[in-house]
Amino acid sequence: MDNRTKFIQITSMRVFASLLALLLCTFSLSSHAWWNNEWTSRKKVTLSSPVAEVVDAPILLRLHTGNFDFLSTNDDGGDLRLIAEDDATELKFNVEKWDGANQLALVWVKVPKLSSQTEIFLYFGNENAVSASDPKGTYDASSAIYHFAEPEGNPQDSGPHGLHAQSSATRIAASFSNGGVGFDGARSVLLPAVSARNGYSFSIWVKPSSLDGVLLQSDGLAVSLEAGAVRAKSGRANVVSNTALSAGKWHHLGLTLSDGLRIYLDGKAVGDATGAAFPTGTMTLGAGFKGEMDEVQVSGVARAMEWMAVQAALAPDAKLVAVGEEETAEGGPEASHLGIILKSLTVDGWVAIGFLAIMLLIAIWVMYSKAIYINRVDKSNNRFMHRFRELSTDLAMIDKSGGLDKDFKHSSLYRIYHIGAVELAHRFDNTDATQINKSLSPQSLDAIRASLDAGLVEEIQRMNKFMVLLTIAISGGPFIGLLGTVMGVMITFAAIAAAGDVNVNAIAPGIAAALAATVAGMSVAIPSLFGYNYLASRIKAIVSRMHIFVDEFITKLAENYSR
């Protein structure tokens, strides 16, 4: 190999390395790009399609406390934006439901091109943003869409033509997604006709309670259940599905008419026949059907098998949609476990934790102030007893020297002693036992003891003041935390049931956040319990000392002032 050839190879390798570095740098920058700096947070949403490619497919995003922080967005969800994988193109979307109080939202997004692995971004966190929800832009121009989300009245068409239903059936609050309609075999929903241009499609989620009955009918099309199998008739076409529906279970049912009639069940073709004719006139849903229906889509085009498969994959257990971790504008995910728990806390959990925080502050204040007070009493009592044992014939001598204003200000023993000294001064002008001519009778000693006992009770009450707040924290804290946990678990399961998204990732954050209330309750009770036991033992020792002092004082009075 000559030098020229070697130079060419080395130069080629350097150019290749430079291009590779440039590509990696470009990829790194694009992967960390930020669509708009006015939005503070985003989540990556991964769509795992069961088919290779689908165009303009409406995808349902179920947001709940397990995968989305409702406290980081506006109360009405108006700052929500869906951005394509290039992190630049805004996607059309429709907010079917936004319930910030119960932390539940249903958002339909139109994905222009859905492949087996597609990533989009969910942006939020802009207080000044206004809602960009666009129902008419989310669905194609040939469709009529019925979510049955209206609390009352006839079902409304979310599509571009406003083909609202002309009658309604029983409203079901929690159905496949948000609301649905229930049928009892007699009631029905009347839908306006959808113009068929190059074909016709019908898509619906159905949950039969009876496996026989008419699902829908119009001029040129009739669909019914026969022992769970789907029979469809259109023109000369008459086809029965080779797979049956199950009672009490949600199934996706799809029909297409173009060159023939095809039936799709849960995303799979289960029957076809030729000779179909496009339906005309209004369509009647549920006349003779018993069960629930939801998410009806009627289109004037023949949907592909891939489109039906994607709609069937919207089932909560199908794993089509995966919502990633939250990222901030500064870059990087917020992966802290504590952060995830705090973001998943419901309102009732925050209320319980806030109340427990107040209880903890009160308990800490009681323990701190009571510990300081007990230490002062204990030290002052020691100084008083040292002085008291120095007394000989005049037991009121300490009181005469103004002990309350000097060394014994905090002494409980001195306050009891002061009561006895006052009683003694009431009976003798001079309390020096060597200079008195009379003595204390047994009745006088009993009266003095009664006064001392009254003072003793007052001192005990003073020592135990505010201790009841610690017992409330010990006994009430765990129950308040448990109440917050139970409420949080109830709300989490209710939100998940309403969203229909049942998986570990949806349940775990909500349950963990609910248990945070119990942790908060125990965090109040445990230190309060330790502090209460410590203070109670110190108070018990001081009270015992006061009882002993009363006996000792009465004994010295009898010794010095009785003949």
Side-chain angles (χ1 to χ4, degrees):
M1 181 182 297
D2 57 14
N3 293 335
R4 182 177 180 182
T5 302
K6 185 180 296 184
F7 173 80
I8 293 174
Q9 289 181 346
I10 294 174
T11 303
S12 300
M13 292 177 63
R14 287 178 177 176
V15 170
F16 176 78
S18 300
L19 289 174
L20 181 61
L22 179 62
L23 288 173
L24 290 175
C25 181
T26 303
F27 174 76
S28 177
L29 289 174
S30 63
S31 64
H32 291 87
W34 200 263
W35 165 68
N36 191 319
N37 290 330
E38 294 182 2
W39 272 257
T40 60
S41 303
R42 76 178 183 185
K43 280 178 173 283
K44 181 186 291 185
V45 180
T46 303
L47 306 176
S48 302
S49 172
V51 294
E53 183 175 320
V54 181
V55 177
D56 291 339
I59 302 299
L60 176 61
L61 306 182
R62 303 173 188 266
L63 304 179
H64 47 77
T65 184
N67 62 12
F68 188 75
D69 177 21
F70 284 81
L71 298 178
S72 296
T73 187
N74 295 349
D75 293 339
D76 59 353
D79 56 337
L80 212 65
R81 297 293 186 272
L82 274 302
I83 309 300
E85 192 169 9
D86 61 4
D87 214 355
T89 305
E90 290 192 53
L91 303 178
K92 298 292 185 179
F93 67 94
N94 171 36
V95 178
E96 178 185 344
K97 178 178 181 178
W98 187 272
D99 187 353
N102 294 313
Q103 301 195 3
L104 173 65
L106 300 174
V107 181
W108 291 88
V109 56
K110 183 179 182 179
V111 182
K113 185 177 179 181
L114 181 66
S115 60
S116 57
Q117 193 81 1
T118 303
E119 293 179 348
I120 62 176
F121 292 96
L122 177 65
Y123 278 82
F124 53 96
N126 183 350
E127 296 181 354
N128 301 319
V130 296
S131 177
S133 178
D134 183 9
K136 298 185 184 303
T138 305
Y139 312 102
D140 58 45
S142 61
S143 299
I145 311 296
Y146 303 94
H147 296 302
F148 304 108
E150 301 77 16
E152 57 184 15
N154 295 336
Q156 302 293 293
D157 174 22
S158 298
H161 301 297
L163 300 175
H164 307 313
Q166 300 170 11
S167 64
S168 183
T170 304
R171 172 87 165 90
I172 304 296
S175 193
F176 174 76
S177 68
N178 197 12
V181 285
F183 299 89
D184 57 5
R187 304 191 65 176
S188 61
V189 175
L190 191 63
L191 304 180
V194 174
S195 177
R197 296 180 297 175
N198 300 318
Y200 190 87
S201 298
F202 181 83
S203 169
I204 189 172
W205 282 92
V206 59
K207 181 182 178 181
S209 58
S210 173
L211 297 179
D212 293 283
V214 179
L215 285 172
L216 63 96
Q217 55 187 356
S218 65
D219 293 337
L221 177 64
V223 181
S224 60
L225 291 180
E226 298 178 359
V230 181
R231 178 181 291 277
K233 298 179 181 179
S234 177
R236 294 179 288 103
N238 186 349
V239 59
V240 179
S241 66
N242 55 33
T243 303
L245 279 72
S246 301
K249 182 181 178 181
W250 284 105
H251 294 275
H252 180 263
L253 174 62
L255 301 170
T256 61
L257 294 90
S258 54
D259 55 342
L261 171 62
R262 292 182 178 83
I263 302 177
Y264 298 91
L265 185 60
D266 295 328
K268 299 179 180 179
V270 293
D272 63 87
T274 59
F278 293 160
T280 59
T282 58
M283 175 181 292
T284 302
L285 291 180
F289 171 74
K290 294 182 179 180
E292 296 180 39
M293 294 184 185
D294 199 2
E295 298 302 335
V296 172
Q297 300 187 44
V298 186
S299 304
V301 295
R303 302 294 189 185
M305 179 186 67
E306 291 80 6
W307 191 94
M308 291 293 181
V310 169
Q311 296 306 301
L314 296 179
D317 56 353
K319 311 299 183 184
L320 172 64
V321 179
V323 182
E325 294 181 351
E326 182 175 333
E327 301 175 15
T328 61
E330 290 77 13
E334 297 181 357
S336 168
H337 295 302
L338 180 60
I340 294 173
I341 291 174
L342 293 179
K343 287 180 180 295
S344 301
L345 272 174
T346 54
V347 176
D348 60 288
W350 280 114
V351 171
I353 291 177
F355 192 75
L356 289 168
I358 295 174
M359 291 182 64
L360 179 60
L361 292 176
I362 294 174
I364 292 173
W365 172 77
V366 170
M367 290 186 289
Y368 177 76
S369 59
K370 188 61 69 174
I372 292 177
Y373 176 73
I374 289 175
N375 286 333
R376 289 174 177 174
V377 170
D378 207 21
K379 291 179 181 179
S380 191
N381 282 347
N382 289 334
R383 290 194 298 268
F384 171 77
M385 288 304 299
H386 178 73
R387 180 74 180 280
F388 178 75
R389 290 195 171 92
E390 293 177 350
L391 298 179
S392 178
T393 58
D394 190 352
L395 296 184
M397 179 61 69
I398 298 176
D399 203 44
K400 293 178 181 178
S401 62
L404 184 61
D405 298 327
K406 294 183 179 180
D407 296 335
F408 315 130
K409 180 179 179 181
H410 300 290
S411 174
S412 59
L413 296 181
Y414 172 77
R415 285 188 288 270
I416 296 174
Y417 162 82
H418 175 70
I419 295 172
V422 170
E423 291 291 332
L424 193 62
H426 288 165
R427 289 165 173 79
F428 301 104
D429 294 331
N430 187 353
T431 56
D432 189 347
T434 60
Q435 300 181 16
I436 61 175
N437 298 319
K438 60 179 181 178
S439 63
L440 291 175
S441 65
Q443 292 82 1
S444 296
L445 289 174
D446 290 340
I448 294 174
R449 175 181 283 277
S451 298
L452 296 178
D453 287 340
L456 175 62
V457 171
E458 291 180 0
E459 290 301 322
I460 293 175
Q461 291 176 345
R462 182 178 298 176
M463 295 297 298
N464 287 292
K465 188 178 182 181
F466 299 127
M467 291 292 287
V468 67
L469 296 178
L470 291 182
T471 62
I472 291 174
I474 294 168
S475 58
F479 283 102
I480 294 174
L482 182 61
L483 177 62
T485 295
V486 172
M487 293 292 292
V489 170
M490 290 172 59
I491 291 176
T492 298
F493 278 107
I496 291 172
D501 190 2
V502 183
N503 57 71
V504 174
N505 291 332
I507 296 175
I511 299 299
L515 290 172
T518 297
V519 173
M522 299 304 294
S523 299
V524 172
I526 292 174
S528 299
L529 178 63
F530 291 164
Y532 178 85
N533 287 336
Y534 170 75
L535 294 174
S537 63
R538 294 285 304 276
I539 292 173
K540 184 178 180 180
I542 293 174
V543 170
S544 298
R545 195 172 188 182
M546 287 190 293
H547 281 287
I548 295 171
F549 172 75
V550 170
D551 293 337
E552 183 177 352
F553 190 44
I554 291 296
T555 301
K556 285 194 173 186
L557 287 176
E559 179 184 5
N560 288 286
Y561 297 97
S562 297
R563 304 300 183 196

